[in-house]
Amino acid sequence: MNPALQALITITVGVGGCVGYFWLSNLVLDRVLFPARGPQAGRNITRANMIRPWLFLFPALVALAVYLAYPVVATAWLSLHRDAGGAREFAGLDNYARMMAEPKFWESMRNNLLWLVVVPALSTAFGLLAAQLTDRIGWGNLAKSLIFMPMAISFVGASVIWKLIYDARPAGQDQIGILNALYLWAGGDAPQQWLQIPFWNSLFLMAVLVWIQAGFAMVILSAALRAIPEETVEAAILDGANPLQIFFRIKVPQIRGTIVVVWTTITITVLKVFDIVLAMTNGQWETQVLANYMYDKFFRAFDVGVGSAAAMVIMALVTPILVWNVRNARREMQ
Amino acid sequence: MDGIAGRKPALTWAVHLSVALLVALWVLPTLGLFVSSFRTGDQIATSGWWRALGAQEQQLNPIRVKGQEVARDGAFVIEGTLFDAPGATVSRWGTSSREPAAHAPGDTVDLGEGQTLRVDADGAYVLTATASTAGTRLPRVFATATTPPQFTLDNYANVLFSPLAGQSVGQAFLNTLTVAIPATVIPILIAAFAAYALAWMEFPGRALLVAAVVGLLVVPLQLALIPLLDLHNRLGIGKGYLGIWLAHTGFGLPLAIYLLRNYMVGLPRDIIECARVDGATEFQIFTRIILPLSFPALASFAIFQFLWTWNDLLVALVFLGTGNDQQVLTGNLVNLMGSRGGDWEILATSAFVSIFVPLVVFFSMQRFLVRGLLAGSVK
């Protein structure tokens, strides 16, 4: 069957099915199970109202349970088992031990930690700078739009864009990568293969993510900066504070909460970063990261045990943020 | 509020300049790719895209002399030109790959066996031979020429309609649409009902469920790959569109519920209370009042989900097959980077085809996108 036709049918069946489910289940509840008439009308309405929320929630809960909650448990289970001729056999921490014995794993950990420090810090810093500066000029909104734009570009598309920047031609030819062109123009001796220089190449990969994420940071921080009460800034100006002091001593402390939110959101993105590394270096030249390491184990080495162990490491790194988010959400609910 | 500081002209200029620099840094990479996608492969390979508007001196691929032979003054003459379009200027030329720049334009060179060749600066050549050259291999011309900037749409025609990495980018484009649209539409409705229940219905365990949704928001989908693929295989869904639609629906739900609930909680209580007093059922309240009022939040989420499913690589690699009728744009692009890594005209054009739709969505619906981002992260 033609996939486009299949898609159309899926949309119709999916949406129609959802609407039908909600409509029918409500109808059954109100008319058949607990009709709001007769001698027990009052009791029936109360009962129907107790059940209704679960009717509304049911499809979402099933999807969340199957597609997010179950896999966490299943991956944890897989990481503790080994493949024994088709069946799974309990292996204790064997998978983790094998993973820890691999230099590639430690390389991924090191790189991931570097990513975790550099990308959120630079994205937030650039975002804050752009937010503060664009708020003060006439064409600020246009500038914001343009800085925000990379957010719409896929990681793979961004990788192609930046690969052209890092391109290197043999010495003597015209360079087509702008970085090498600038490097030679500034007096560099020979064109460099930027993506093949260990340590620095990781930084060049991070530049791609910073480029994508800075716009996100800017949009959110800009809204927070605008929400700062003007009196605090005016008072500081009257007291003779200079623009830098106003920014760092008055404004930044007041948006600290937002900065933390931006920072953690980007941190989560960083932990999952996969496409950029896969497309640009595929983990060669010491650029491996956890998500790509895991993908390697799952789909190239077909080692489900170690792959699951690596996935659990990513989960463990995310958990502090998860707990912190949940606690914040609960505090707000009260 | 920054007026006092901003009034200093020097400072104002510094701000304008810094913003201009930032914008340039953020736009130039994409611009480079965009410009490259309209240049010929030869030009991309020999000069940087930032010089695309200037004339370029480069050594051309060898061009074989061809044309109608005419007998004139007892000799056989072939006349023609090296260039299809006017404007190029030959600076040096030669007839062998060892000495591609041996002669100046206008020189008449003896090729031996009674043949002479002259190439002029404008690319016109005259081959004169004492015997007919019919049936023999004619000489090749190696020219170094300054060519005017050339822009072409051939790359797009080539990339869209001819199979490069097993399939054409046009086909991958359709596949991506097939993935993205149902994966955007289906979660919205499911999430909207759940969000309404979590925002406006009283029931035990509500706070716990909200907390769970917030928690699931950050669960890395990497964990889901193997168990779900396994599950799909056992259920008989296997690798295919149905599987990826379901997967994207599941992965998108936490954000959808979270965004929509935050928005719905902020709707005025009076409207809902009044409707309840007037005897509207919850189902009616939801479809007649809540859904229309929540349009901005629905739009925000739809944009997020569309961009995410369009741009996704990992989920597509795992849950879709690799056949021509299933590979999406991102997967196609990764393959091209592997197999055609040096052919920038193909890479740049394919990449631009793949980022074109998200850019259009982005610029036309930026308002909703920003609103959604703010609702999703600032509290």
Side-chain angles (χ1 to χ4, degrees), chain A residues 306-329:
Chain A
V306 173
S308 303
M312 289 314 287
V313 173
I314 300 178
M315 185 66 208
L317 289 172
V318 172
T319 304
I321 299 173
L322 188 152
V323 172
W324 186 76
N325 273 1
V326 168
R327 281 179 56 178
N328 274 359

Side-chain angles (χ1 to χ4, degrees), chain A residues 6-313:
Chain A
Q6 204 188 343
L8 206 67
I9 294 174
T10 308
I11 294 181
T12 322
V13 170
V15 173
C18 284
V19 172
Y21 159 79
F22 286 117
W23 185 73
L24 267 181
S25 62
N26 272 281
L27 199 71
V28 168
L29 188 68
D30 287 329
R31 295 280 160 79
V32 181
L33 284 182
F34 302 110
R37 55 191 136 72
Q40 296 181 322
R43 209 191 69 183
N44 275 355
I45 289 177
T46 322
R47 280 193 180 170
N49 282 344
M50 276 170 64
I51 292 176
R52 194 176 339 266
W54 301 103
L55 289 183
F56 274 51
L57 283 166
F58 178 72
L61 287 185
V62 169
L64 286 178
V66 173
Y67 279 86
L68 286 164
Y70 156 75
V72 175
V73 181
T75 305
W77 187 86
L78 282 172
S79 76
L80 296 175
H81 289 72
R82 75 165 72 88
D83 192 14
R88 296 265 154 204
E89 151 190 305
F90 186 70
L93 294 175
D94 187 41
N95 288 323
Y96 290 89
R98 278 200 296 140
M99 178 177 73
M100 303 231 180
E102 279 192 34
K104 251 327 196 193
F105 168 72
W106 291 108
E107 179 194 313
S108 313
M109 282 297 272
R110 258 199 322 275
N111 283 333
N112 253 95
L113 290 182
L114 195 64
W115 279 77
L116 278 181
V117 175
V118 174
V119 175
L122 283 184
S123 307
T124 314
F126 273 117
L128 197 54
L129 184 73
Q132 169 68 10
L133 292 179
T134 50
D135 274 348
R136 302 169 55 152
I137 54 174
W139 53 290
N141 277 339
L142 176 69
K144 269 201 193 114
S145 250
L146 292 174
I147 295 177
F148 192 27
M149 178 195 69
M151 219 210 87
I153 296 176
S154 63
F155 286 171
V156 182
S159 301
V160 176
I161 290 176
W162 283 80
K163 225 172 167 183
L164 181 59
I165 291 181
Y166 297 144
D167 187 274
R169 300 270 135 174
Q173 288 186 19
D174 264 6
Q175 293 300 320
I176 65 167
I178 200 166
L179 192 61
N180 265 318
L182 287 174
Y183 178 73
L184 294 179
W185 177 76
D189 44 356
Q192 303 289 316
Q193 296 280 354
W194 302 110
L195 292 177
Q196 297 177 15
I197 313 167
F199 180 73
W200 292 101
N201 52 9
S202 289
L203 294 180
F204 289 123
L205 295 185
M206 291 174 206
V208 183
L209 196 54
V210 171
W211 181 70
I212 294 175
Q213 294 288 328
F216 158 76
M218 176 194 66
V219 166
I220 291 179
L221 292 171
S222 157
L225 281 175
R226 284 190 188 163
I228 290 178
E230 286 193 27
E231 301 83 50
T232 58
V233 178
E234 279 163 13
I237 293 173
L238 288 180
D239 287 345
N242 67 34
L244 275 184
Q245 284 174 322
I246 292 176
F247 183 64
F248 283 108
R249 302 257 180 96
I250 308 293
K251 289 186 170 175
V252 169
Q254 294 194 63
I255 58 167
R256 192 178 291 145
T258 313
I259 294 181
V260 173
V261 170
V262 169
W263 192 290
T264 49
T265 310
I266 298 178
T267 301
I268 292 168
T269 313
V270 169
L271 278 170
K272 300 183 202 169
V273 70
F274 157 77
D275 318 32
I276 296 177
V277 177
L278 177 83
M280 289 185 85
T281 63
N282 199 7
Q284 287 171 287
W285 308 296
E286 299 178 26
T287 53
Q288 190 65 298
V289 292
L290 278 175
N292 195 46
Y293 173 80
M294 186 212 77
Y295 184 82
D296 258 355
K297 287 291 161 201
F298 273 148
F299 299 103
R300 297 212 184 89
F302 298 105
D303 190 338
V304 172
V306 173
S308 303
M312 289 314 287
V313 173

Side-chain angles (χ1 to χ4, degrees), chain A residues 10 22-23 67-68 75 139 145 147 152 154 161 164 167 174 176 211 220 237 261 268 272 291 295 298 332, chain B residues 1 4 16 26 44 46 51 193 218 222-223 226 228 232 245-246 254 283 311 317 344 358 366 377 379:
Chain A
T10 308
F22 286 117
W23 185 73
Y67 279 86
L68 286 164
T75 305
W139 53 290
S145 250
I147 295 177
S154 63
I161 290 176
L164 181 59
D167 187 274
D174 264 6
I176 65 167
W211 181 70
I220 291 179
I237 293 173
V261 170
I268 292 168
K272 300 183 202 169
Y295 184 82
F298 273 148
E332 254 167 62
Chain B
M1 58 185 179
I4 295 175
H16 277 283
W26 255 255
I44 299 178
T46 49
R51 286 171 43 198
F193 275 96
V218 300
Q222 267 90 354
L223 270 75
I226 289 293
L228 285 183
H232 279 180
W245 290 326
L246 289 173
F283 189 73
N311 288 338
L317 279 181
W344 277 108
Q366 207 178 359
S377 16
K379 289 149 194 160

